[in-house]
């Protein structure tokens, strides 16, 4: 291959490797940011909560305020909030009207949902309990209704009932909120005021903080609590948000584990190759001299073998300590026998039936937000594994065709990771989410880079030796 061909291969290898590192690092960091953003949007309670939402077979339309108060007494001192929702026109007077998702909430709503107030304030518990006709609206809704974000003090009509705007909040600050469709309400009012303005409405959603010390600890006990106020359990979908959070947080850990697992396998191959080369070296030398003389006369070579063996062994141990984690599988997905085809077919059938039964189901805003986070995390995981990792490995394989000095390899690695980290920071911040440098992800990618580069280079040298001997 001529100089022009070698330069072309080198440029292609560098670009593929750079793209691979960027995609892998961006996806792993973004998954962590999505998880963190989702937990923040769930307010002070975070994901340690239950969502109880009316389903399609509900015959009563939901709870009354009196029934909610009775349920709240049973729940104890932990936060609880009630949500009623409707979609209808909100009239801003002569300015304009807009179709909006309107939710009525009880005191404690901010324990479960984070709102970034831009002007004014959120209504307090006394306003929620007394049914004051006040509203907090999303910034883009304020713009549509009043042609201005300065809406505090102005009046809007909901169901021919005037409400005074006391606050404006940013409901589309992150890409996650933008993906969630109706996961962020347009207008928030006290639930008692909304039910008074719309007597046909009832409370469709409850959010309840979860705690081991709660009087109600699991789904079955929530069913019992609903039945105690005259509601059948099958009328409601009950979602454990903590279980969803734990399952979803495993995606970034799984990505790190796969990358680290490949690095460990490559390190094991390199470790065994160095051990084999050291054995061959000593076998040849001790055939003509005592082993002590070999060590004295070939101390530099022996030191190189020893450093390589210890180095790759330490790399294996370090990467394993970083990537290992307890993969959690829901108990209802574990059969009594590992090979039980009927169990898996029944499970798939039950999932399909549950999906069919959900046609017409109207999820709560919390469920919509969680579903958006799940879709985003899944896409990032697939992008990292199907685009980032192959590009990375192909680039390193091409780079091994024209070996570079160790110092140049380390310099290239440091530069690629620095650039990928800076670009990841910029992209994640532009999406409205917080960014935290994932040193463990960087360490795993660095280990994968070094082990893959050495492995591909070793294969090239072996191929060249075989070619020369033939």
């Amino acid at each position: 291959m001529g100089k022009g061909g070698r330069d072309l291969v080198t440029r292609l290898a560098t670009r593929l490797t750079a793209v691979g590192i960027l995609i892998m690092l961006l996806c792993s960091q973004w998954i962590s940011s999505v998880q963190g953003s989702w937990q923040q949007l769930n307010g002070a309670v975070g994901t340690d909560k239950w969502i109880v939402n009316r389903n399609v077979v509900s015959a009563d339309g939901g709870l009354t305020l009196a029934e909610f108060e009775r349920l709240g007494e049973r729940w104890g001192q932990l936060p609880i909030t009630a949500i009623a929702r409707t979609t209808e026109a909100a009239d801003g007077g002569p300015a304009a009207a807009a179709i909006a998702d309107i939710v009525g909430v009880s005191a404690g709503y901010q324990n479960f949902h984070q709102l970034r107030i831009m002007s004014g304030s959120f209504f307090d518990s006394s306003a929620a309990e007394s049914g004051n006709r006040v509203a907090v609206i999303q910034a883009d809704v304020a713009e549509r209704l009043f042609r201005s974000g300065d809406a505090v003090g102005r009046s809007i009509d909901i169901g021919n009932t005037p409400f005074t705007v006391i606050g404006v909040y940013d409901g589309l600050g992150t890409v996650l909120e933008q993906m969630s469709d109706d996961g962020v309400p347009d207008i928030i009012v006290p639930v008692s005021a909304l039910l008074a303005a719309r007597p046909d409405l009832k409370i469709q959603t409850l959010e309840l903080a979860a705690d081991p010390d709660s009087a109600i600890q699991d789904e079955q006990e929530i069913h019992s609590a609903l039945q105690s106020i005259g509601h059948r359990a099958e009328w409601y979908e009950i979602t454990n948000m903590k279980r969803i959070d734990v399952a979803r947080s495993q995606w970034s850990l799984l990505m790190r584990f796969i990358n680290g697992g490949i690095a460990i396998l490559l390190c094991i191959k390199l470790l065994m190759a160095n051990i084999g080369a050291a054995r061959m070296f000593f076998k040849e030398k001790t055939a003509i001299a005592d082993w002590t003389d070999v060590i004295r006369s070939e101390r530099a070579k022996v030191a190189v073998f020893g450093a390589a063996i210890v180095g790759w062994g330490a790399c294996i141990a370090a990467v394993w300590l970083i990537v290992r984690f307890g993969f959690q599988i829901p108990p209802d997905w574990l059969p009594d026998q590992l090979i039980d085809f009927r169990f898996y077919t029944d499970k798939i059938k039950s999932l399909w039936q549950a999906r069919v039964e959900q046609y017409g189901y109207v999820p709560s805003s919390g469920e919509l937000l969680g579903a958006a986070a799940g879709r985003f995390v899944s896409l990032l995981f697939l992008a990292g594994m199907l685009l980032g990792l192959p590009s990375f490995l192909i680039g390193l394989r091409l780079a091994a065709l024209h070996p570079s000095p160790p110092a140049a390899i380390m310099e290239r690695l440091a530069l690629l990771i620095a650039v990928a980290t800076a670009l990841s920071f910029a992209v994640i911040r532009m999406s409205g989410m917080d960014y935290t440098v994932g040193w463990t992800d960087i360490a795993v990618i660095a280990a994968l880079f070094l082990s893959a580069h050495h492995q591909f280079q070793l294969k090239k040298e072996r191929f060249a030796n075989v070619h020369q001997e033939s």
Side-chain angles (χ1 to χ4, degrees), residues 184-265:
V184 179
D186 295 324
I187 300 174
I188 304 174
V189 301
V191 66
S192 52
L194 181 62
L195 297 183
R198 289 289 308 275
D200 56 315
L201 282 180
K202 287 190 177 181
I203 295 168
Q204 301 106 327
T205 305
L206 302 172
E207 296 195 18
L208 311 98
D211 189 275
D213 298 329
S214 172
I216 308 173
Q217 297 181 13
D218 56 26
E219 185 174 341
Q220 188 58 46
E221 291 181 347
I222 294 178
H223 285 179
S224 301
L226 289 171
Q227 291 171 353
S228 70
I229 59 172
H231 289 256
R232 296 171 60 180
E234 59 266 25
W235 292 346
Y236 295 88
E237 295 293 330
I238 301 175
T239 306
N240 185 339
M241 300 305 288
K242 184 63 177 179
R243 182 180 297 173
I244 293 175
D245 182 34
V246 170
R248 194 167 293 150
S249 65
Q250 295 186 123
W251 286 110
S252 61
L253 300 176
L254 183 59
M255 180 182 290
R256 188 186 307 158
F257 181 82
I258 292 173
N259 293 333
I262 296 173
I264 288 174
L265 290 176

Side-chain angles (χ1 to χ4, degrees), residues 4-182:
R6 287 197 298 270
D7 291 343
L8 179 61
V9 171
T10 300
R11 288 196 299 271
L12 180 60
T14 301
R15 290 172 183 173
L16 283 173
T17 305
V19 168
I21 289 179
L22 173 60
I23 293 176
M24 289 195 298
L25 194 58
L26 173 61
C27 289
S28 62
Q29 297 295 282
W30 214 345
I31 288 175
S32 299
S33 295
V34 169
Q35 283 297 107
S37 178
W38 182 48
Q39 291 170 354
Q40 288 179 4
L41 291 172
N42 278 283
V45 169
T47 56
D48 294 322
K49 66 179 181 182
W50 297 87
I51 293 181
V52 180
N53 193 53
R54 189 191 63 177
N55 63 24
V56 293
V57 299
S58 178
D60 64 348
L63 279 69
T64 64
L65 275 175
E67 290 170 336
F68 167 68
E69 291 171 358
R70 286 164 52 197
L71 187 65
E73 292 174 358
R74 174 157 181 167
W75 196 251
Q77 299 300 315
L78 290 172
I80 180 173
T81 192
I83 302 173
R85 59 184 180 273
T86 182
T87 300
E88 59 183 75
D91 190 354
I99 299 298
D101 295 316
I102 304 166
V103 299
V105 303
S106 65
Y109 178 78
Q110 286 189 289
N111 289 315
F112 298 90
H113 297 271
Q114 181 191 65
L115 294 176
R116 294 179 293 276
I117 301 294
M118 300 172 62
S119 61
S121 62
F122 197 80
F123 48 83
D124 56 22
S125 57
S126 62
E129 292 169 0
S130 58
N132 291 0
R133 294 175 182 175
V134 292
V136 182
I137 67 176
Q138 198 179 138
D140 66 329
V141 176
E143 189 68 34
R144 280 184 284 159
L145 290 176
F146 305 112
R147 303 292 188 267
S148 169
D150 185 15
V152 175
R154 307 185 75 164
S155 178
I156 57 175
D157 286 344
I158 300 173
N160 297 320
T161 302
F163 285 76
T164 302
V165 177
I166 62 170
V168 178
Y169 65 95
D170 178 13
L172 300 175
T174 69
V175 68
L176 181 58
E177 291 168 299
Q178 296 168 17
M179 289 177 61
S180 65
D181 190 20
D182 296 329

